[in-house]
Amino acid sequence: MAYRPSKRFKKTALGASAALVLVALNAPATLSFAGDKYHAYKIGQSSYKIQYGSWNLIDLPDRYKVNAMHAALLHTGKVLLIAGSGNNQRNFDKGTFDTILWDPSNDTFKKIPTPEDFFCSGHAQLPDGRLLVAGGTARYEVLDGKVTRAGGGMRVKNESPDKAVTLKKGTLFRSPTGVEYVSRFDVTVPRATREFEITYGRGGQMQPWRTKVTAAEARVFVEAVREGRQGLTTEAAQYEVLGLRGKDADNVYGLAERLSTVKQDFQGIKSAYEFDPLAEKYVPVDPMKDARWYPTLVGLQDGRVLAVSGLNDVGDVVPGDNEIYDPQTKKWTKGPFHYFPTYPALFLTQGGNLLYTGSNAGYGPKDKGRAPGVWNPATNEFKKVGGLTDTDQLETSSSVLLPPAQDQKVMVLGGGGVGESKLSTRRTAVIDLKADAPVFRTTAPLPQGTRYLSSVLLPDDSVFTTGGSTDYRGRGASDIHKAQFYYPRSDSFVAAADPTVGRDYHSEALLLPDGRVATFGSDPLFADKDNTKLGKFEHRLEVYTPPYLYRDPARRPVLGAGPDAVEPGGRVGFPSPHPERIERARLMRPSAVTHSTDVEQRSVELGLTRTKDGVTLEVPGDPTLVPPGWYMLFVADADGTPSAARWIRVKAPQKAPPSSDVGWMPPE
């Protein structure tokens, strides 16, 4: 529906038309200014806002401007914006790592001490409201043509069954031909394992004990000390560790097969932290076994968190060794084995399976781990699902579990080709996991091919989509200054107000407790259409107010104070001045989003009973539908106008999770 100005505005415009034409003939820039003024007038009208909503830029003081790579909503209502080094190697080299805490209720900001480089980490909400942050950056990439020293992974062996050995960063390894390589990180090699064997002679007599020692192994990235071709090697060899004495010199050595000057990718870290929303600080927990850069962390039904994929400590995609974090013990154990490209979109589905939509964000070969499927972590069975078109354009696509979660429908939106491809697609598709044979079915297309699209669930059961670009990292000034609503029931897109700020790579969007949507970040490769001017990271913070917040405020549903926790399957009551206006209730899990990947958000329908002075709400008892943790509780009227949210914690099931020493256990 086109905007139509009021009669009063028509008269004013007509009266000024001659002057505007004269100005336009002499100064096209003035005409452009007049057009901007008209646009500002138009979008400021109540009639426009009621139909399309509005955008507002938040005044962000210079000292709080941050390269927001990650965004997470905490149960305090504040938003954690994590930059780490912020895709800026100078910050990395200086050890300057940033995190900002934003309070949307009063637009205040706070700097949070950041102990390590969480740039390109993974994150997930924990049952007690803390945010698990794991992985990040150990080393920036060195592109082809820029590598001056041969380097690669060195396997460090330890044959001593009596003690572990730690080699500090800077340890030297010498090849059989005398070429020396230096380690870039500390590495600890566990002690070797010792097994005793019993043998018997011909007469049945027990023979003396025999022992078998199996060397332990760890991995570290090394570079040649000197530049040039002498450090290149393509043959397996054993390397002496310089500085060791006695038995250590005999027991500890390096093995490498290929040390080259090809591109050296980013390398991950093993570190993990919990961010405490009340103390507003990072708290260290046990590190992961594998280093991870670009990992996905997904919460499970028992409150534990599964970490998958990422680039490891030598820059390779983790080959399928996944891990599980137990928030009760603060430790990691081995998870089910499966290979995924980095930042895969994995959704916990009813029954405990995980759906991989094929959406991912970056690293990995074109022909491995790209096919979507349903993964049963208990049996490690992975069943591929078909139906998607443009399957070569799933990288940088968006995925959401459509509202309400009980419908068990998951949508994929847009995407592009692998790597720096110029391809982008309008394709959207939905899979119904309740079907006898689930497959993706094509749904209403996006207005144009879009990668890096942000997709946010709203409390009126729509999906708000915004931003993105048609080309890799916004090349060619391809950022899309458009937003729209997707309505699952009618399979249709409806236009929303246009954002001021373009968003592409390294951008995020999330739902706030007051029903607005906040958007952050963007890391364009270039700043002009001809790709001659380097882009700059987008620091502006822009908030969208949906049309439902421009309806009559006196009729907006209101929830009074009530319980802040509920058992699975439990019932809770809240007072309300007009319960007769309340038609539905939703629990909405807060986002933890990065790189177009947000597997946390979900909207769960609640049972609703009206009383004379409030409502009674029933929470589903299935933790695979409602994983334990804090949720925003919204109620809405028949038109979808939501209340402001109340925070409530869904407790973990009474039965304790499996013992941490047995790794993954199937749900019962």
Side-chain angles (χ1 to χ4, degrees):
M1 178 177 179
Y3 169 78
R4 295 180 181 177
S6 66
K7 291 182 179 179
R8 179 180 178 184
F9 179 74
K10 285 182 181 178
K11 291 178 181 178
T12 305
L14 288 172
S17 61
L20 285 175
V21 169
L22 288 174
V23 171
L25 290 172
N26 293 285
T30 304
L31 180 60
S32 174
F33 176 75
D36 290 343
K37 294 278 285 185
Y38 170 74
H39 178 70
Y41 174 88
K42 180 178 75 171
I43 65 176
Q45 300 304 294
S46 295
S47 57
Y48 183 91
K49 294 178 180 179
I50 288 173
Q51 183 171 352
Y52 299 107
S54 70
W55 291 87
N56 294 285
L57 290 170
I58 302 300
D59 184 20
L60 186 65
D62 286 345
R63 68 184 300 259
Y64 296 118
K65 289 180 178 177
V66 65
N67 293 3
M69 303 294 175
H70 312 265
L73 177 64
L74 308 173
H75 73 90
T76 57
K78 298 179 182 181
V79 178
L80 196 69
L81 299 175
I82 304 173
S85 59
N87 202 17
N88 184 318
Q89 186 159 2
R90 285 175 296 179
N91 290 342
F92 177 82
D93 292 340
K94 292 187 297 183
T96 303
F97 310 136
D98 287 327
T99 300
I100 298 295
L101 195 61
W102 169 48
D103 188 343
S105 68
N106 55 20
D107 289 331
T108 56
F109 300 86
K110 177 182 178 181
K111 282 203 168 200
I112 304 296
T114 307
E116 299 195 49
D117 191 2
F118 298 138
F119 167 49
C120 293
S121 60
H123 25 67
Q125 303 284 356
L126 295 175
D128 65 356
R130 295 189 180 207
L131 182 77
L132 177 65
V133 181
T137 304
R139 184 175 187 266
Y140 270 63
E141 68 181 353
V142 185
L143 300 177
D144 284 329
K146 301 289 186 179
V147 181
T148 60
R149 290 178 171 84
M154 178 75 70
R155 295 158 54 207
V156 186
K157 293 280 192 175
N158 179 16
E159 293 186 351
S160 169
D162 300 318
K163 66 175 184 178
V165 175
T166 296
L167 303 180
K168 292 295 185 180
K169 174 183 177 181
T171 295
L172 293 175
F173 295 80
R174 181 179 290 159
S175 75
T177 59
V179 180
E180 293 183 357
Y181 300 82
V182 60
S183 65
R184 293 306 183 193
F185 309 101
D186 294 349
V187 59
T188 297
V189 193
R191 63 185 182 182
T193 58
R194 178 189 284 133
E195 297 178 359
F196 296 96
E197 295 181 345
I198 301 175
T199 59
Y200 295 90
R202 291 183 179 180
Q205 293 181 336
M206 187 171 67
Q207 301 297 307
W209 293 89
R210 280 201 280 178
T211 60
K212 177 183 178 183
V213 174
T214 302
E217 179 179 305
R219 183 179 56 220
V220 68
F221 185 83
V222 300
E223 283 183 310
V225 172
R226 295 183 180 180
E227 297 182 358
R229 298 185 57 83
Q230 69 167 349
L232 299 175
T233 178
T234 58
E235 296 182 0
Q238 182 169 316
Y239 293 72
E240 175 190 0
V241 182
L242 302 187
L244 296 182
R245 299 286 184 268
K247 290 184 178 180
D248 286 347
D250 295 330
N251 290 329
V252 182
Y253 53 90
L255 294 174
E257 295 181 359
R258 184 171 186 259
L259 299 170
S260 72
T261 56
V262 300
K263 174 190 174 184
Q264 296 169 356
D265 274 319
F266 281 95
Q267 294 163 18
I269 61 176
K270 300 178 180 180
S271 302
Y273 288 76
E274 291 182 357
F275 185 80
D276 185 336
L278 301 180
E280 297 184 344
K281 67 178 183 180
Y282 289 104
V283 179
V285 296
D286 268 14
M288 298 178 288
K289 178 180 180 296
D290 277 296
R292 299 182 190 270
W293 187 88
Y294 267 49
T296 291
L297 272 59
V298 55
L300 303 174
Q301 63 267 28
D302 57 10
R304 295 183 300 163
V305 176
L306 175 65
V308 301
S309 193
L311 299 188
N312 61 22
D313 49 0
V314 296
D316 297 331
V317 178
V318 176
D321 300 292
N322 305 309
E323 301 178 58
I324 293 176
Y325 178 73
D326 187 335
Q328 293 187 6
T329 63
K330 313 297 184 188
K331 296 182 180 297
W332 297 84
T333 54
K334 186 176 181 180
F337 184 91
H338 192 86
Y339 175 91
F340 294 99
T342 57
Y343 277 137
L346 285 165
F347 293 89
L348 177 66
T349 66
Q350 199 162 11
N353 288 338
L354 296 169
L355 173 70
Y356 170 50
T357 64
S359 295
N360 64 87
Y363 293 77
K366 291 183 178 181
D367 57 353
K368 185 177 181 182
R370 303 276 174 173
V374 176
W375 183 29
N376 183 333
T379 64
N380 206 25
E381 181 182 19
F382 187 90
K383 292 184 178 179
K384 294 181 180 180
V385 293
L388 273 177
T389 61
D390 296 343
T391 53
D392 62 338
Q393 296 173 64
L394 282 168
E395 193 164 285
T396 67
S397 62
S398 177
S399 296
V400 292
L401 175 63
L402 290 175
Q406 282 89 337
D407 287 354
Q408 290 292 283
K409 293 181 179 179
V410 180
M411 187 177 194
V412 175
L413 303 95
V418 173
E420 298 188 17
S421 167
K422 293 182 68 66
L423 294 175
S424 62
T425 178
R426 300 175 63 197
R427 178 260 300 117
T428 74
V430 171
I431 186 170
D432 181 355
L433 295 170
K434 288 186 173 181
D436 292 336
V439 294
F440 279 97
R441 301 191 185 280
T442 301
T443 43
L446 292 164
Q448 62 269 347
T450 310
R451 52 198 305 166
Y452 317 109
L453 184 70
S454 287
S455 301
V456 179
L457 304 183
L458 297 184
D460 66 351
D461 284 354
S462 65
V463 181
F464 179 69
T465 67
T466 182
S469 63
T470 58
D471 198 354
Y472 174 76
R473 285 186 64 176
R475 278 185 310 206
S478 63
D479 282 356
I480 300 168
H481 291 256
K482 296 290 183 184
Q484 47 276 319
F485 300 97
Y486 176 74
Y487 292 97
R489 301 300 185 198
S490 60
D491 183 29
S492 60
F493 282 96
V494 175
D498 298 339
T500 302
V501 181
R503 309 277 183 189
D504 49 66
Y505 186 49
H506 289 148
S507 64
E508 303 86 34
L510 53 76
L511 176 68
L512 298 175
D514 60 11
R516 297 180 298 161
V517 175
T519 61
F520 320 90
S522 189
D523 199 358
L525 199 59
F526 297 101
D528 63 337
K529 190 172 184 178
D530 296 327
N531 297 329
T532 59
K533 184 179 179 182
L534 291 178
K536 294 182 178 180
F537 200 94
E538 179 57 68
H539 292 137
R540 286 176 293 175
L541 192 165
E542 193 170 21
V543 176
Y544 177 70
T545 302
Y548 54 55
L549 293 181
Y550 287 106
R551 296 169 190 158
D552 183 357
R555 297 191 60 81
R556 186 180 183 188
V558 174
L559 277 184
D564 63 1
V566 62
E567 300 284 349
R571 294 163 64 88
V572 287
F574 287 85
S576 178
H578 292 284
E580 72 280 1
R581 296 177 187 168
I582 297 175
E583 292 291 332
R584 57 190 175 204
R586 298 288 184 266
L587 280 182
M588 303 195 73
R589 192 169 177 90
S591 288
V593 57
T594 186
H595 293 74
S596 303
T597 305
D598 186 356
V599 300
E600 284 292 287
Q601 63 172 344
R602 63 176 54 212
S603 176
V604 181
E605 183 176 10
L606 302 184
L608 171 65
T609 303
R610 300 181 197 87
T611 63
K612 67 176 184 177
D613 56 1
V615 290
T616 299
L617 306 173
E618 185 173 352
V619 177
D622 184 350
T624 65
L625 190 63
V626 192
W630 284 87
Y631 287 80
M632 291 177 283
L633 170 60
F634 290 94
V635 293
D637 64 16
D639 295 325
T641 306
S643 65
R646 290 283 180 182
W647 284 98
I648 187 167
R649 181 169 62 92
V650 178
K651 298 179 180 180
Q654 288 295 319
K655 184 177 179 181
S659 173
S660 61
D661 62 355
V662 296
W664 172 261
M665 288 290 287
E668 293 186 359

